[in-house]
C-alpha cells in the first residue's frame, strides 16, 4: 500500500517499454512513425484499462481505491461547503435522534444487569399475576414473606434464590429526617448475584434470620460517596432508621445499582429487620417481595418453570391467608409459579416507556428517511452537473463499478461524518430525555452509555442512510452513455426522467411528514385532554400532606388505632387552624396518585367491587365534590356506632339501581384485616376520577375514618389553601412538629403532581412535535428544491409563454399546479399510512380515537399551507422571468 | 473483447509459465516468443499479457526483476519460482489429460 507510487511507476515503465518495442516493430514493417505509434496503442487495447487490470490483481487494490476515492470525495465536498454543511447537519440530526432514542431503549430494555453471568438469573412469578389480591407494596410486588420462605425452603432449581423489595427508608429523626431509596434483601442475595464488596462485607444468610437484631446496613457506592463523602471510615459509621441505630458493614461496587433498572438503591437491610415495622414478616396478605434465583448449572428456564409449577401447591397451601371469603381463598390455592428470564432485571420504566420508545424510534427513523430523500435529491442534482466529467472518464476506459464507487464514496463520507456528529449529539439528547422524565417523586437514574449495541446501531444507521441516498444516483451516473452525454454539451439529456424520480421522492416526503404530523397532533391533543379532563373536583390550591409516625411505639391493634386516631385528629386540628387553609380533611387515599384500595361487595344477587376511601368530615367540601343527597360524615359516626357510608353516582347506577339510595345497605366481602361489614348509605356524592387521570370514574364508597377496621399508620390530610402554598406548607410542617417530634411530614402540590404523572404523555407530545416540525421543514425544503429546479429548467418555456401573452397569475398557477399535484399525491398516501401508524399508537392516546378526523384534517391543512408557500416562492419568481432574457439564454 | 478468445480458457497461464521456464524474459520478449513458437497460431493481444503476468506474480509463481535489456533499456524480467515450477508441472499434466481426452473424442467421431 505504501509502495503504491513506486508500483505505479514500474507499471507505467513496463507498459511503456512494451509500447515502444511494439512501435519499433511497426516501424520496421515500414509504417510511418505516427501510424506505427497509433497501431501500437490500438494493439494494447486501452492502456489505462490494462493498467487498471494489473492493479486489480494486487490484493490491496480495493483498500487503495477506497482510500483514494475517499480523498477525492473529501476534496469534492470541500469545494461545496454549503451543500456539505446542509447534508451533514441533516444527517447528524437524523442519526443523532435515532441513536439517542435507541440508547434509551438499550438502557431500559436490552442491557443486562451488571453482575456475573446475568443470563443465569430467573424471576419467579405467579402465572397471570396475583390479580391485585391483598395489599401491594410497590412495583413488582409478587410475593408475601411467608411465600418467599416457603419457596426458599422447597425449591431445588436455583443454586441461590433471593428476595428483595425496593422502598423508601427515612434516615435520621423527626424534622431532620430524609428519605433515601431502601432495599430489603434476603441474606443470600449478594452471594447469589456474586457481588463483590468494595469495602467491608455484604450480608450473608447469617444476617437474615428470623428475630435478628436490627443492627447492620449495607450501602451503595453512590450513597457512600454522597452521604459519607467516600470516607475510609465508613465501615462502622452509623445510620438512624426506624428509631434504631444501624452500623454500616459494607459498600457495594459502583456498577451495582440493585435489580430494578431506572432506580439506584442507597441503603440495603436484611428482610428480617422488617419486623421492626410491625408483623410484616408474618402477614400473609401483604405482597411486597420480588423473588429471583440463579439457575443451577445445567438447568434451563423451562426446567425451572416445571419445577416451580410442581412445588406450587405445597407453597400456596402452606401460606394461604386467613380472612378471605371462600372463593378468593380458592383462587389463591390455584396460583401456579413460573420462571422468567431476568438477565436485564425488572423495570417499571421498561413497562411504562418501552412502547413509547419504540414509537419514538419509528418516528426518528421516518425523520431520517425524509432527510435521506432530501439528500438523494441533492445528490441527483450534483450527479447531473457532473455527467460530462463521468462521461469522459467512461470514454477513456474507467470501469463503471469504479465510477459508481467513487460517487458512493462521497455519500459514505457524508454519512460517516453525519453519524459521528450524530452519535456525539445522541448522548446529550438521551441525557436530556432522562432529565425530562425525572421527577422529584420518581427519580429516573438511567445509565445510557455508548456500548457496542449502540455503536452497531449507529454504524448500521449510517450505512443504511448512505445507501439510501447515495446508491441510486451513483448507479445512475455510472450507466451514462458517454457519447450522448458528451455530445449534449453539458445540457442534461435525461432531465425529464430524473425529474420523475425527484417528484416521487418529494411526494414520499410529503406523505411521511404527514404521518409524523398526525402522530404529533394526536399526542399533543392527548396531553391537552388529560390536563383539561373533568376530574369531578376542584384541582387548584390542593395540597396533599402525608405523615409518618417514627416513634416506633407498639401495642395491641386497638391501642394502636386509638393512639393513631387521636394523633390524626390533633394533626387535622392544627392544619385546619393554619392561616391560609380554607378547609382540610383526613383521607386514606389521595386522588390521582396511583394508590388504590378495592374491596369486594355482596349484591342481591351476585357480587361486585368498589373503591373504598376512609375520610374525615369536610372531605367533600375540601375537594369541591358536590353532595347530591344525604349528609356528610360527622363526629357522631363513631367507631362503635352504626356503620355508614357515602357512595358516588356511578356506585348508585351500577349497584343500587333506581329508587332512593339512602338507607340501602352495602355488605363487603371479607379480606385479611377487613372483615365482612355492613354499611348504611347516608349520602350520594358526585363522581370523580380515582387512581389515574387516564381511567374513567369508578364506583367509590366513602366510610368515616373512625370506622376503618385496622388503622396501623397515620393517614394523609387533604388541604385546600387560599394562601401561598409554600407558606402554608412550611406552617403545617411546623405545627406537625408541635403535635409530636416523631412525625415525619411530606407534601405534594396536586397540580404539580398531576403534571409529573403525565410525564410520559408530555414527553411523547414534545418529542413527537419536535420530530414532526423537523420532518415538515425537511419536506418543505425538498419541495422547494424540486419546484425551483423545475422552474429553472423550464425558464425558456416560461419566457416563450410570457412573450406569447401568458399572464403572471397564469404562470404562477402553472407552477403551483405542479406543487399541488405532488402534495395531493403525498397527502393521499400519507393519510392512508397515518391511519395505520396511528392505530399502533392507540394505547398511548387519551380521549380521542387514533382515527380522529379533525386531527388528520388539521395535519393535512398545516402541511398543505406550508407546501403551498414552498411552491409559491419559486412560482412567483417564474412569473417574473424576463421573456427577452430567458430567450436570449437559449 | 479483453479475453484472448482464440486461447482455451486458462491456457495463457500455462504458456507463459512454459516460456519463461527456459529463461527469464521481459513482457515484450514473452509476447514475441509466444507468436514465434506457436507459428502465429496463438494470438495473444499485447494488452492482455500484462494483467496475466501480474496475476501470476501475485500468485507467487513468477518473480520479476528490473534488468537492462540487450539494447540497454531497463525492463522487467520475469522468471519462474519454485512454486511456479510445481504449478507448471501440474498445469502441464492437466493439459496432457485434457488434450488426450479431446483427441480421443475427436478420433471417435472420425471412426
Amino acid at each position: 500500500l505504501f509502495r503504491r507510487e513506486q508500483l505505479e511507476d514500474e507499471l507505467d515503465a513496463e507498459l511503456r517499454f512494451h509500447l515502444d518495442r511494439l512501435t519499433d516493430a511497426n516501424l520496421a514493417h515500414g509504417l510511418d512513425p505516427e501510424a506505427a505509434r497509433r497501431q501500437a496503442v490500438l494493439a494494447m487495447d486501452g492502456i489505462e484499462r490494462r493498467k487498471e487490470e494489473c492493479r486489480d490483481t494486487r490484493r490491496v487494490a480495493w483498500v487503495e481505491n477506497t482510500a483514494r476515492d475517499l480523498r477525492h470525495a473529501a476534496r469534492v465536498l470541500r469545494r461545496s461547503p454549503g451543500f456539505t454543511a446542509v447534508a451533514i447537519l441533516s444527517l447528524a440530526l437524523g442519526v443523532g435522534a435515532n441513536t439517542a432514542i435507541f440508547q434509551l431503549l438499550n438502557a431500559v430494555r436490552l442491557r443486562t444487569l451488571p453482575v456475573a453471568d446475568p443470563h443465569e438469573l430467573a424471576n419467579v412469578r405467579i402465572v397471570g399475576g396475583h390479580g391485585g389480591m391483598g395489599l401491594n407494596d410497590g412495583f413488582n410486588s409478587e410475593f408475601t414473606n411467608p411465600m418467599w420462605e416457603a419457596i426458599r425452603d422447597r425449591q431445588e432449581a436455583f443454586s441461590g434464590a433471593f428476595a428483595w423489595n425496593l422502598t423508601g427508608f427515612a434516615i435520621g429523626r423527626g424534622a431532620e429526617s430524609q428519605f433515601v431509596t431502601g432495599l430489603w434483601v434476603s441474606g443470600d442475595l449478594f452471594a447469589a448475584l456474586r457481588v463483590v464488596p468494595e469495602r467491608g462485607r455484604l450480608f450473608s444468610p447469617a444476617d437474615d434470620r428470623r428475630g435478628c437484631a436490627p443492627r447492620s446496613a449495607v450501602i451503595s457506592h453512590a450513597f457512600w460517596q454522597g452521604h459519607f463523602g467516600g470516607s475510609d471510615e465508613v465501615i462502622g459509621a452509623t445510620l438512624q432508621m426506624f428509631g434504631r441505630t444501624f452500623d454500616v458493614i459494607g459498600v457495594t461496587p459502583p456498577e451495582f445499582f440493585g435489580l430494578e433498572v431506572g432506580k439506584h438503591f442507597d441503603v440495603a437491610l436484611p428482610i428480617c429487620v422488617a419486623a421492626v415495622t410491625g408483623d410484616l414478616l408474618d402477614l400473609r396478605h401483604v405482597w411486597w417481595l420480588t423473588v429471583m434465583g440463579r439457575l443451577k448449572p445445567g438447568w434451563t428456564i423451562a426446567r425451572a418453570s416445571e419445577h416451580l409449577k410442581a412445588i406450587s401447591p405445597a407453597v400456596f397451601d402452606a401460606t394461604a391467608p386467613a380472612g378471605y371469603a371462600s372463593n378468593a381463598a380458592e383462587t389463591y390455592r390455584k396460583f401456579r409459579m413460573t420462571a422468567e428470564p431476568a438477565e436485564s432485571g425488572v423495570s417499571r420504566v421498561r413497562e411504562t416507556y418501552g412502547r413509547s420508545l419504540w414509537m419514538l424510534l419509528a418516528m426518528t427513523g421516518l425523520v431520517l428517511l425524509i432527510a435521506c430523500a432530501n439528500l438523494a435529491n441533492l445528490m441527483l442534482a450534483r450527479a447531473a452537473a457532473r455527467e460530462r466529467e463521468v462521461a469522459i472518464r467512461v470514454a477513456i476506459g474507467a470501469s463503471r463499478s469504479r465510477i459508481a464507487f467513487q460517487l458512493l464514496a462521497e455519500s459514505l463520507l457524508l454519512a460517516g461524518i453525519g453519524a459521528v456528529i450524530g452519535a456525539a449529539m445522541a448522548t446529550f439528547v438521551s441525557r436530556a430525555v432522562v432529565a425530562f422524565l425525572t421527577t422529584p417523586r420518581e427519580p429516573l437514574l438511567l445509565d445510557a452509555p455508548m456500548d457496542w449495541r449502540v455503536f452497531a446501531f449507529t454504524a448500521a444507521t449510517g450505512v443504511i442512510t448512505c445507501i439510501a441516498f447515495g446508491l441510486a444516483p451513483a448507479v445512475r451516473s455510472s450507466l451514462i452513455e458517454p457519447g450522448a452525454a458528451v455530445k449534449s454539451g453539458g445540457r442534461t439529456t435525461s432531465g425529464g426522467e430524473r425529474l420523475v424520480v425527484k417528484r416521487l421522492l418529494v411526494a414520499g416526503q410529503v406523505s411521511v411528514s404527514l404521518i409524523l404530523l398526525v402522530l404529533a397532533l394526536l399526542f399533543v391533543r392527548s396531553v391537552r385532554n388529560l390536563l383539561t379532563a373533568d376530574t369531578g373536583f376542584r384541582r387548584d390550591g390542593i395540597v396533599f400532606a402525608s405523615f409518618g409516625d417514627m416513634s416506633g411505639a407498639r401495642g395491641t391493634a386497638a391501642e394502636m388505632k386509638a393512639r393513631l386516631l387521636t394523633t390524626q385528629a390533633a394533626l387535622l386540628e392544627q392544619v385546619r387552624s393554619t392561616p391560609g387553609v380554607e378547609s382540610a380533611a383526613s383521607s386514606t387515599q389521595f386522588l390521582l396518585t396511583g394508590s388504590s384500595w378495592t374491596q369486594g361487595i355482596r349484591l342481591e344477587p351476585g357480587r361486585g367491587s368498589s373503591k373504598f376511601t376512609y375520610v374525615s368530615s369536610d372531605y367533600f367540601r375540601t375537594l369541591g365534590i358536590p353532595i347530591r343527597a344525604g349528609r356528610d360524615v360527622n363526629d357522631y359516626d363513631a367507631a362503635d356506632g352504626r356503620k355508614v357510608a357515602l357512595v358516588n353516582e356511578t356506585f348508585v347506577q351500577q349497584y343500587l339501581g333506581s329508587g332512593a339510595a339512602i338507607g340501602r345497605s352495602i355488605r363487603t366481602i371479607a379480606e385479611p384485616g377487613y372483615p365482612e361489614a355492613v354499611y348504611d348509605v347516608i349520602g350520594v356524592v358526585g363522581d370523580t376520577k380515582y387512581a389515574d387521570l387516564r381511567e374513567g370514574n369508578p364506583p367509590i364508597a366513602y366510610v368515616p375514618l373512625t370506622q376503618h377496621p385496622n388503622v396501623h399508620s397515620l393517614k394523609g390530610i387533604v388541604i385546600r389553601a387560599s394562601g401561598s402554598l409554600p407558606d402554608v406548607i412550611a406552617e403545617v410542617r411546623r405545627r406537625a412538629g408541635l403535635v409530636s417530634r416523631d412525625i415525619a411530614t411530606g407534601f405534594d402540590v396536586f397540580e404539580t403532581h398531576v403534571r409529573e404523572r403525565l410525564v410520559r404523555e408530555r414527553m411523547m407530545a414534545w418529542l413527537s412535535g419536535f420530530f414532526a416540525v423537523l420532518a415538515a421543514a425537511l419536506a418543505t425544503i425538498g419541495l422547494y428544491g424540486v419546484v425551483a429546479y423545475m422552474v429553472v429548467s423550464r425558464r425558456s418555456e416560461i419566457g416563450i409563454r410570457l412573450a406569447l401573452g401568458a399572464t403572471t397569475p397564469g404562470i404562477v398557477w402553472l407552477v403551483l399546479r405542479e406543487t399541488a399535484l405532488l402534495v395531493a399525491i403525498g397527502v393521499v398516501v400519507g393519510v392512508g399510512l397515518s391511519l395505520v401508524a396511528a392505530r399502533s399508537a392507540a394505547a398511548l392516546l387519551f380521549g380521542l380515537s387514533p382515527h380522529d378526523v379533525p386531527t388528520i384534517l388539521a395535519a393535512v391543512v398545516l402541511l398543505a399551507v406550508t407546501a403551498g408557500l414552498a411552491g409559491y416562492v419559486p412560482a412567483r419568481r417564474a412569473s417574473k422571468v424576463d421573456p427577452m432574457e430567458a430567450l436570449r439564454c437559449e | 473483447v479483453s479475453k484472448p478468445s482464440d486461447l482455451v480458457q486458462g491456457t495463457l497461464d500455462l504458456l507463459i509459465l512454459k516460456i519463461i521456464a527456459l529463461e527469464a524474459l521481459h513482457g515484450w520478449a514473452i509476447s514475441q516468443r509466444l507468436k514465434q513458437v506457436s507459428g502465429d497460431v496463438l494470438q495473444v493481444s499485447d494488452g492482455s499479457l500484462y494483467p496475466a503476468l501480474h496475476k501470476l506474480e501475485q500468485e507467487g509463481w513468477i518473480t520479476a526483476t528490473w534488468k537492462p535489456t540487450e539494447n540497454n533499456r531497463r525492463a522487467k524480467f520475469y522468471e519462474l519460482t519454485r512454486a511456479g515450477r510445481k504449478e507448471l508441472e501440474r498445469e502441464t499434466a492437466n493439459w496432457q489429460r485434457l488434450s488426450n481426452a479431446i483427441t480421443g473424442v475427436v478420433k471417435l467421431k472420425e471412426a
Side-chain angles (χ1 to χ4, degrees), chain A residues 172-196:
Chain A
R173 279 187 65 129
E176 297 102 66
S177 65
Q178 76 180 94
F179 270 95
V180 298
T181 310
L183 183 67
W184 293 111
V185 299
S186 66
D188 33 13
L189 179 134
F190 291 115
L193 288 173
R194 299 189 197 137
V195 178
V196 181

Side-chain angles (χ1 to χ4, degrees), chain A residues 214-530:
Chain A
R215 203 168 45 207
S216 349
V218 164
I219 61 173
S220 71
H221 173 87
F223 188 72
W224 173 43
Q225 296 295 328
H227 196 266
F228 292 102
S231 150
D232 281 332
E233 277 102 63
V234 65
I235 306 301
T238 59
L239 289 168
Q240 293 285 326
M241 288 176 286
F242 304 104
R244 307 254 189 335
T245 303
F246 289 81
D247 294 335
V248 174
I249 61 162
V251 180
T252 57
E255 69 276 5
F256 183 76
F257 55 79
L259 291 145
E260 184 177 337
V261 177
K263 299 281 173 78
H264 289 194
F265 87 99
D266 293 314
V267 180
L269 294 178
I271 285 176
C272 63
V273 173
V276 301
T277 65
D279 41 6
L280 194 54
L281 296 184
D282 291 313
L283 287 176
R284 294 181 163 200
H285 66 279
V286 181
W287 306 64
W288 61 296
L289 295 173
T290 301
V291 176
M292 289 187 177
R294 187 183 282 279
L295 292 169
K296 280 183 183 166
W299 280 68
T300 61
I301 295 281
R303 190 168 162 209
S305 287
E306 279 304 309
H307 172 69
L308 288 168
K309 193 177 163 197
I311 64 168
S312 291
V315 167
F316 291 111
D317 278 345
T319 60
Y324 272 116
S326 60
N327 58 346
E330 194 52 35
T331 310
Y332 182 90
R333 277 174 213 278
K334 287 216 180 92
F335 281 148
R336 290 294 171 266
M337 292 184 292
T338 186
E340 289 175 3
E343 55 184 351
S344 31
V346 300
S347 173
R348 191 204 303 257
V349 184
R350 188 181 307 155
E351 284 169 26
T352 317
Y353 295 113
R355 201 189 174 82
S356 312
L357 287 174
W358 283 116
M359 192 83 215
L360 285 173
L361 192 62
M363 296 183 81
T364 52
L366 291 180
V367 172
L368 190 60
L369 198 65
I370 295 179
C372 281
N374 261 358
L375 283 180
N377 262 341
L378 284 170
M379 293 303 272
L380 276 175
R382 285 168 66 80
R386 287 167 62 182
E387 226 164 45
R388 234 174 112 83
E389 173 201 333
V390 171
I392 289 171
R393 290 174 48 190
V394 171
I396 61 170
S399 77
R400 291 181 188 279
S401 59
R402 282 284 290 109
I403 290 194
F405 269 118
Q406 197 161 57
L407 291 175
L408 203 55
E410 268 175 54
S411 315
L412 195 69
L413 202 62
L414 286 176
I417 299 175
V420 169
I421 299 180
M425 276 172 30
T427 309
F428 293 103
V429 176
S430 60
R431 273 201 211 124
V433 173
V434 170
F436 186 91
L437 295 178
T438 292
T439 61
R441 174 175 288 267
E442 290 274 329
L444 178 61
L445 296 161
L446 209 53
D447 197 19
M450 283 297 279
D451 62 6
W452 65 268
R453 278 203 198 83
V454 179
F455 185 77
F457 176 85
T458 312
T461 321
V463 169
I464 291 169
T465 12
C466 165
I467 290 172
F469 72 77
L471 196 60
V475 169
R476 275 193 55 92
S477 297
S478 71
L479 294 180
I480 283 171
E481 270 311 315
V486 176
K487 246 181 278 161
S488 76
R491 224 179 301 146
T492 50
T493 46
S494 47
E497 187 194 334
R498 187 171 287 124
L499 208 51
V500 171
V501 177
K502 279 174 159 277
R503 283 178 183 145
L504 280 180
L505 281 172
V506 167
Q509 284 180 313
V510 169
S511 53
V512 172
S513 47
L514 185 72
I515 301 175
L516 291 177
L517 270 180
V518 168
L519 286 177
L521 284 177
L522 285 174
F523 289 131
V524 169
R525 290 196 55 197
S526 284
V527 172
R528 220 190 105 73
N529 283 352
L530 281 167

